[in-house]
Amino acid sequence: MKYKIRNIIQIITTVTVIISCLIYYMYINEIIDFRFFSIGDMNPYGGWSAVKSAFTDLSYRWRGFSRSIALTFGITITALLLGRFFCGFICPIGAIQDFFKYLGSKIKLEEIKFSHKPEFIKYIILIIILIISILGMGNIISPISPWIAYLNIFAGFNLQLGTVILLLIALISLFGRRIFCRYFCFFGAFQSLLYSIGPFKIKKNDCESCSYCLRNCPVSEQLRISEVEENISPECINCLECINTCVKDNEGYSIKIGNKKIKSNIYIIFCICIILSSYILLPLIDVTDVQAIATIENIKDGIYLGSGIGFGGIMNVEVVINNNKISNIKILNHRETTGYYEEVFRYISYKILESQNLNLDAVSGATSSSRGFINSVKDAVSKSLVN
């Protein structure tokens, strides 16, 4: 198999994600004491969670860019200025579909041509998910997310509906091209909307619309190119398979920003730089947060129950106070998302017991769970002050 630059980027991204998840699994299970990225750090929806919280949660305070927010920001800017590069080159779910489609072709499975008409479904899904999230029921969505299921497979397998959906995506991909991206991925729908209003376009030049150059396109059935159309549809995932492949020696398709033509390699490098620089540099911006230090003083010995509201709703904890210090924190029940809450409970519990301080930073990518957990401990501690 001859690897193209897109395949190489997909492989590098997939291997990086898998290794990061395996290391994270060992970290949360206390096998090692370090990690590179958490599940939350690799969540491209973190920026939306922050925006939603800023407008719906009166207790929300901006604490700077987490890795998750930075990832969302980088993808959003790239989609607006340069199209759906993330979908075509980086997304691990997209890579899975491409791999299984390649596998299906190698074992001689007949390809099924799916209609382009149901493409509107992903936009409906986008609206529904936004409404559910705004209503504070995001915990209903997370168990069915194939993205979270994919990360959790390597960070401690946890069978849930999203895992079943992920397996179905892989199986269907043996017969069809990018079914999930084309019909169901709301994040792809979000990027398509940005792409449609941005300056970047793949344009048809001296072309007779024979569509030969689209033969390897992962979403070719949705790119309905006629002789009167100049731009490829925003449903394009910018895989660049159609660039410089005209068999009739015509100019075919080219990449343009405005009226300026750019080379494929320059485009790829520019997109990678935007996403990587956002992901690496934005979390380094220092946000000063002036607040009183909540040291724990004058608390009475005993066992106290507390509650707080996290991402999944109410969580309850048991706090043991001994010799006027918090000596143990036990989580009684919660509905937080697998892959997120483990580090929150482990890290924040350790920091509270070590520092006897309740003003702690949230775990990156798990702000709501962190805030709910800290508030539940504060609630328990406050009861020790009045008893």
Side-chain angles (χ1 to χ4, degrees):
M1 176 181 179
K2 182 180 178 181
Y3 290 103
K4 301 177 182 178
I5 187 170
R6 187 171 81 94
N7 303 131
I8 294 172
I9 293 173
Q10 286 179 316
I11 291 171
I12 291 174
T13 302
T14 300
V15 171
T16 300
V17 169
I18 291 174
I19 291 175
S20 296
C21 287
L22 291 174
I23 290 175
Y24 182 67
Y25 169 78
M26 291 187 286
Y27 170 75
I28 61 177
N29 285 280
E30 302 185 16
I31 299 172
I32 58 178
D33 59 0
F34 70 92
R35 64 168 174 82
F36 294 135
F37 304 110
S38 69
I39 298 297
D41 290 337
M42 295 180 282
N43 172 22
Y45 315 127
W48 161 247
S49 298
V51 172
K52 186 263 297 182
S53 297
F55 285 96
T56 61
D57 187 348
L58 296 177
S59 66
Y60 179 81
R61 286 183 296 175
W62 172 251
R63 295 181 180 273
F65 286 91
S66 66
R67 293 287 181 203
S68 182
I69 296 174
L71 179 59
T72 307
F73 180 85
I75 294 171
T76 300
I77 295 299
T78 304
L80 178 62
L81 299 179
L82 296 166
R84 294 175 59 181
F85 176 82
F86 179 81
C87 297
F89 281 78
I90 295 178
C91 178
I93 305 299
I96 285 177
Q97 295 173 87
D98 290 344
F99 171 76
F100 276 89
K101 181 63 188 72
Y102 171 78
L103 184 63
S105 66
K106 287 300 179 182
I107 58 178
K108 308 300 182 182
L109 294 178
E110 183 177 354
E111 181 176 345
I112 299 175
K113 301 291 185 180
F114 291 91
S115 171
H116 65 80
K117 294 181 180 180
E119 66 188 31
F120 70 90
I121 295 175
K122 63 177 176 289
Y123 296 97
I124 295 176
I125 293 174
L126 173 62
I127 294 172
I128 292 173
I129 287 179
L130 289 177
I131 293 173
I132 291 175
S133 179
I134 290 171
L135 293 176
M137 297 185 291
N139 62 300
I140 297 175
I141 304 170
S142 57
I144 65 175
S145 168
W147 182 278
I148 294 177
Y150 176 84
L151 297 176
N152 275 315
I153 286 175
F154 304 103
F157 186 82
N158 182 49
L159 183 63
Q160 50 191 349
L161 184 55
T163 312
V164 176
I165 293 174
L166 183 63
L167 292 174
L168 287 175
I169 291 172
L171 290 175
I172 295 175
S173 296
L174 290 169
F175 304 94
R177 304 184 186 189
R178 292 259 185 159
I179 302 303
F180 178 73
C181 300
R182 291 163 55 190
Y183 302 139
F184 304 110
C185 182
F186 70 92
F187 198 53
F190 168 70
Q191 293 178 77
S192 290
L193 294 174
L194 295 175
Y195 180 16
S196 66
I197 62 175
F200 172 84
K201 295 292 181 288
I202 293 180
K203 295 192 174 187
K204 179 175 67 175
N205 298 298
D206 182 15
C207 177
E208 299 176 5
S209 302
C210 68
S211 297
Y212 177 81
C213 58
L214 298 178
R215 70 194 186 285
N216 294 324
C217 175
V219 293
S220 59
E221 293 148 20
Q222 305 211 207
L223 305 183
R224 303 173 300 285
I225 308 298
S226 69
E227 294 185 4
V228 298
E229 290 177 306
E230 180 182 1
N231 301 333
I232 285 185
S233 164
E235 297 297 329
C236 170
I237 62 170
N238 303 131
C239 65
L240 308 187
E241 291 285 347
C242 61
I243 306 299
N244 300 323
T245 57
C246 185
V247 294
K248 298 182 179 180
D249 293 325
N250 293 325
E251 191 175 1
Y253 292 94
S254 61
I255 305 171
K256 290 187 177 181
I257 298 180
N259 292 321
K260 184 174 179 59
K261 187 183 299 185
I262 61 175
K263 295 181 178 180
S264 298
N265 289 343
I266 299 298
Y267 167 78
I268 293 170
I269 291 172
F270 199 39
C271 289
I272 291 175
C273 286
I274 291 176
I275 294 176
L276 280 183
S277 60
S278 298
Y279 192 68
I280 295 171
L281 298 179
L282 289 179
L284 300 179
I285 298 175
D286 183 36
V287 177
T288 303
D289 186 17
V290 180
Q291 59 184 2
I293 302 300
T295 52
I296 302 169
E297 298 176 345
N298 302 318
I299 54 179
K300 298 179 181 180
D301 291 358
I303 300 176
Y304 304 93
L305 303 180
S307 62
I309 299 178
F311 178 76
I314 295 176
M315 64 175 72
N316 296 297
V317 302
E318 177 186 275
V319 176
V320 178
I321 298 176
N322 189 26
N323 293 326
N324 305 118
K325 291 184 177 182
I326 296 178
S327 61
N328 189 45
I329 301 172
K330 180 180 180 181
I331 295 87
L332 300 179
N333 56 71
H334 68 90
R335 292 185 295 174
E336 303 304 290
T337 302
T338 301
Y340 290 80
Y341 72 81
E342 294 91 345
E343 184 178 8
V344 170
F345 294 164
R346 177 196 170 190
Y347 173 78
I348 294 182
S349 293
Y350 172 78
K351 296 299 290 185
I352 290 175
L353 296 177
E354 179 187 50
S355 65
Q356 296 295 304
N357 188 320
L358 295 177
N359 269 340
L360 302 172
D361 291 333
V363 171
S364 175
T367 303
S368 296
S369 296
S370 300
R371 188 167 59 245
F373 181 55
I374 293 172
N375 287 339
S376 65
V377 176
K378 286 182 178 179
D379 182 47
V381 170
S382 67
K383 294 176 182 177
S384 75
L385 300 174
V386 297
N387 286 343

